[in-house]
Amino acid sequence: MAASGARLHLVTPVWNRSTRGIRGLSRAVGPEGSQKKGRSLLQFLADRFYDVQALREYLLRKQVLTVHQKNRPFTYIQERFGPHVAGVYFILKQGGAVKFQGKEWIRSNARGHFPLDFVTFQAVPVEAVDASGCAINYQGLDSLLALKELQSLWLQRCPHVDDWCLSRLHPLANSLQELSLAGCPRISERGLACLHHLQNLRRLDISDLPAVSNPGLTQILVEEMLPSCEVLGADWAQGLKSGPEEQSRDTASPIPA
Amino acid sequence: MLRRALRLGLGRGPLSRGLGTHRGDSTLDQNGKLSEIKKKIQSVLPGGAWNPLYNTSHLPPEHSDVVIVGGGVIGLSVAYWLKRLEKRRGAIRVLVVERDHTYSRASTVLSVGGIRQQFSVPENIQLSLFSIEFLRNINEYLAVVDDPPLDIQFNPAGYLLLASEKGAAVMESNVKVQRQEGAKVCLMSPEQLRNKFPWINTEGVALASYGMEHEGWFDPWCLLQGLRRKVQSMGVLFCHGEVTRFVSSSSHAVTTSGEEVTLKRIHEVHVKRDHSLEYQPVECAIVINAAGAWSGQIAELAGVGKGPPGTLQGTRLPVELRKRYVYFWHCPQGPGLETPFVIDASGAYFRREGLGNNYLGGCSPTEEEEPDPGNLEVDHDFFQNKVWPPLAQRVPAFETLKVRNAWAGYYDYNTFDQNGVVGPHPLVVNMYFATGFSGHGLQQAPAVGRAVAEMVLDGHFQTINLSPFLFNRFYLGVKVQEHNII
């Protein structure tokens, strides 16, 4: 049962850019090989037996719930030590790292433990947060936004950070100077457009965002939008491709004098 | 191997296919045998409507608990919430009747797709806040196992409403209401506006309100198809056809004040097939009128408004077809990526579309110059005379623009107070309305669907109290007026 559970492909892995929207209402292309076989058997069973279908729906819901559960705010800590400490605790619990002003980075170890002495730093502002690879989502951002003096924020490769999250960063507009969104699979140019609230931004990393349709053009437009900010991103020529007809014309045309 | 065996065993084989369908009637009928058999069956089973020798697979079912007239985003949302809130799985049978499966004239897909909280009626703000939450978690609400997640393409760019000297006080009080309801809206002076958006000419602007979160625009087609996919997976039946008749019974009752009223109850809905005279009477318990711009006609079919004027019986559903133009233009020097959805004090609006300096915009015509809604042709002079001048005055870069495309769409325009009609009709007791949103239908659809479903299942509103939007207000004359309606 456990083995088959692992093979229940509940959601298609990541949003595929080549299928634009669901305009075609196309079914997801199944994975290749043996997985495909197992999958079609599963599909077959799900189509014919309500139990299998219900089980798969339940597992899909459960998957979503786990992300929600991970992003619940720590209300007890919030009440006891204030939102500031709760925010730091949340980040550390997620597996991220936090830097208080004038202090060392605090990071959880391999087993998920971290020193709890930061609860005494209530008056010290948090300078930087590294939440790279954390399962933080829109709801979890609540805890993060309590850190009003945040200057640097790394959100690299966060699977659940999307355009909706970026639209929520505006309360940090006065302090935030450095933001890294590299490698987030769900961020597109639509979310990047609302970074214009962050006028104090000095450094922005938007490289390697697979959901952005035109990386080069987007980078130019973001640079225009945030004139005082250094934007790290894809090489502007990355999105360009020299078409075959252009190449053939080049060879056919006479050498310019 | 197992799969093949299962397939052979479970109904994909040639044998079962031959038995499973009802094709081949015509070959039987060639020598007149069919009618003979039919006569025989009728003599054996008199009065039975069941006839095994017709292929009725293209017709809607004969019974359905709920019939939803209109398969646009509101109708589908009602179907979704009915199925989601039903107490037991499969408890309610829902049929959605849609006339046009290509949605070529539906308001849903021809809209600009904006969502905002900058209303003045608290209910509208609540509806919109609920809907934005729905859209944000759309892949949880509308998740279908094995189908790719939806990409709603939400642009969280915010709305920027501009007010002149005259409208400033109204705007201020509106923003107060919006903040109370939980919308993230900030007020801006012309000075701040100039700093934030240098491309705006602030001449004549006294105050601006700008939505920081939860506002922007999205892809209506994606929401529609997502709802359709989900609703189909939940077992809602679809039918391509048109409602031509309601079969109803009426009973007389006397009110406490001694007035005599006629209560009607719909028993059957006649659904006519497209391009044919064939129709199917569908027995039903509840009819939901979500026909959008055409819901006035549906209500009339059910006998709403047929009575002496001035009485409840004579109060018709004041929802009309109105045509609105949307223009698509290119302007190389136009505002950049930060452009919000701008609504000028004159009523003209525009938003960015994509990355290539393209913009969408339009303007609502005044009551006198309302275009003929008979077709969906675009009046290009309207852009030259009514839309362009105020926009070019507001954004000087728009002096040089090129219109690339334009289309027209319909509003389900409520002539009474430009707000939605939700809930049951007081006299036609089993007809429920979800219509008349006058241009905000798309953005409020998820919440309206839930409200109607709650009304049907529980008898009262639960999540959002929409009692000001009940039909009674047309009779009582209580308007739910939106200040600064655009």
Side-chain angles (χ1 to χ4, degrees), chain B residues 119-332:
Chain B
F119 294 105
S120 62
V121 178
E123 281 80 14
N124 273 336
I125 304 168
Q126 289 164 11
L127 285 175
S128 188
L129 277 171
F130 182 90
S131 300
I132 196 88
E133 195 266 343
F134 184 93
L135 292 180
R136 191 174 71 237
N137 298 316
I138 190 162
N139 281 316
E140 290 162 31
Y141 284 110
L142 303 185
V144 179
V145 176
D146 275 333
D147 274 341
L150 295 166
D151 182 12
I152 193 81
Q153 312 220 353
F154 180 65
N155 280 272
Y159 265 68
L160 181 67
L161 266 65
L162 306 176
S164 59
E165 203 73 59
K166 252 193 326 198
V170 177
M171 176 174 274
E172 214 167 323
S173 66
N174 284 357
V175 168
K176 209 174 274 171
V177 178
Q178 287 152 17
R179 284 195 185 145
Q180 260 170 13
E181 296 298 335
K184 300 271 190 331
V185 184
C186 68
L187 283 172
M188 287 166 109
S189 67
E191 186 72 30
Q192 286 168 315
L193 195 61
R194 255 196 306 275
N195 288 337
K196 184 105 184 145
F197 304 112
W199 37 264
I200 280 191
N201 171 17
T202 52
E203 198 189 317
V205 176
L207 193 65
S209 67
Y210 180 42
M212 307 289 280
E213 275 179 45
H214 310 316
E215 292 193 325
W217 57 89
F218 62 96
D219 181 6
W221 181 253
C222 177
L223 177 63
L224 184 77
Q225 291 300 327
L227 275 169
R228 226 178 122 82
R229 188 178 80 171
K230 179 68 183 176
V231 152
Q232 233 156 7
S233 81
M234 289 169 121
V236 169
L237 305 162
F238 282 86
C239 162
H240 185 185
E242 203 174 331
V243 172
T244 50
R245 198 180 150 208
F246 291 105
V247 179
S248 52
S249 68
S250 50
S251 58
H252 296 278
V254 181
T255 59
T256 45
S257 55
E259 275 175 78
E260 195 165 292
V261 289
T262 316
L263 292 175
K264 270 193 168 182
R265 174 170 282 278
I266 298 167
H267 296 287
E268 271 182 13
V269 179
H270 285 196
V271 179
K272 187 177 88 73
R273 296 269 310 150
D274 225 19
H275 308 300
S276 104
L277 291 173
E278 199 175 9
Y279 72 89
Q280 167 85 50
V282 182
E283 224 174 303
C284 64
I286 282 163
V287 176
I288 288 164
N289 184 350
W294 296 271
S295 52
Q297 297 165 19
I298 298 292
E300 223 164 280
L301 274 182
V304 173
K306 278 184 189 152
T311 60
L312 186 52
Q313 235 153 350
T315 312
R316 43 181 280 281
L317 181 70
V319 176
E320 278 181 11
L321 206 62
R322 290 283 168 96
K323 188 160 78 167
R324 293 287 180 271
Y325 306 119
V326 179
Y327 301 92
F328 176 85
W329 66 84
H330 178 70
C331 175

Side-chain angles (χ1 to χ4, degrees), chain A residues 213-220 233-243:
Chain A
S213 55
N214 282 307
L217 177 60
T218 306
Q219 192 191 342
I220 292 169
D235 187 14
W236 67 270
Q238 190 201 20
L240 303 179
K241 267 185 229 151
S242 51

Side-chain angles (χ1 to χ4, degrees), chain A residues 9-12 14-15 20-23 25-28 37 39-41 43-45 48-50 53-54 56-57 60 64 68 138 163-164 167-168 170-171 186 189-194 196-197 213-214 217-218 221-222 224-225, chain B residues 1-3 6-7 10 12 89 132 135-137 139-140 143-157 184 196-197 210-214 219 221-222 225-226 228-230 232-233 336-339 352 355-357:
Chain A
H9 286 272
L10 296 164
V11 210
T12 40
V14 195
W15 170 248
R20 258 276 164 253
I22 53 146
R23 298 203 172 214
L25 261 185
S26 55
R27 294 260 155 178
K37 224 174 209 171
R39 186 193 168 86
S40 56
L41 173 63
Q43 176 79 58
F44 175 84
L45 290 171
R48 278 157 186 80
F49 299 105
Y50 282 129
Q53 196 194 354
R56 295 188 72 196
E57 267 167 26
L60 178 65
V64 173
H68 273 303
Y138 185 89
D163 296 341
W164 300 83
S167 72
R168 285 198 84 188
H170 65 86
R186 293 170 67 176
E189 67 274 13
R190 297 180 287 276
L192 294 177
C194 55
H196 71 96
H197 289 294
S213 55
N214 282 307
L217 177 60
T218 306
L221 290 172
V222 170
E224 256 176 36
M225 189 172 76
Chain B
M1 198 57 210
L2 173 66
R3 208 172 83 220
L6 278 171
R7 271 203 181 155
L10 279 176
R12 282 283 172 91
R89 201 188 162 98
I132 196 88
L135 292 180
R136 191 174 71 237
N137 298 316
N139 281 316
E140 290 162 31
V144 179
V145 176
D146 275 333
D147 274 341
L150 295 166
D151 182 12
I152 193 81
Q153 312 220 353
F154 180 65
N155 280 272
K184 300 271 190 331
K196 184 105 184 145
F197 304 112
Y210 180 42
M212 307 289 280
E213 275 179 45
H214 310 316
D219 181 6
W221 181 253
C222 177
Q225 291 300 327
R228 226 178 122 82
R229 188 178 80 171
K230 179 68 183 176
Q232 233 156 7
S233 81
L337 207 56
E338 75 275 15
T339 319
R352 181 172 60 80
L355 299 174
N357 287 91

Side-chain angles (χ1 to χ4, degrees), chain A residues 61-78:
Chain A
R61 263 207 310 278
K62 189 133 192 221
Q63 221 175 31
V64 173
L65 262 176
T66 3
V67 178
H68 273 303
Q69 230 150 32
K70 272 190 179 168
N71 280 287
R72 271 187 315 191
F74 293 98
T75 33
Y76 171 71
I77 296 176
Q78 218 163 2

Side-chain angles (χ1 to χ4, degrees), chain B residues 17-92:
Chain B
R17 184 176 294 159
L19 287 174
T21 60
H22 299 282
R23 304 252 163 83
D25 293 356
S26 52
T27 47
L28 258 174
D29 207 10
Q30 270 171 3
N31 22 9
K33 286 243 170 78
L34 185 70
S35 44
E36 249 175 67
I37 297 167
K38 253 179 7 189
K39 261 183 211 158
K40 237 179 228 174
I41 290 175
Q42 259 164 15
S43 61
V44 174
L45 295 165
W50 184 72
N51 190 336
L53 296 168
Y54 279 124
N55 181 7
T56 56
S57 59
H58 60 287
L59 287 173
E62 289 168 14
H63 311 275
S64 177
D65 298 319
V66 180
V67 173
I68 298 175
V69 185
V73 79
I74 297 228
L76 292 179
S77 164
V78 174
Y80 169 74
W81 284 109
L82 276 174
K83 288 307 269 185
R84 196 178 150 132
L85 298 177
E86 67 187 355
K87 296 287 182 290
R88 190 171 49 79
R89 201 188 162 98
I92 311 172

Side-chain angles (χ1 to χ4, degrees), chain A residues 201-219:
Chain A
L201 218 55
R202 295 284 160 272
R203 204 158 173 280
L204 174 66
D205 189 352
I206 53 166
S207 53
D208 189 25
L209 300 177
V212 172
S213 55
N214 282 307
L217 177 60
T218 306
Q219 192 191 342

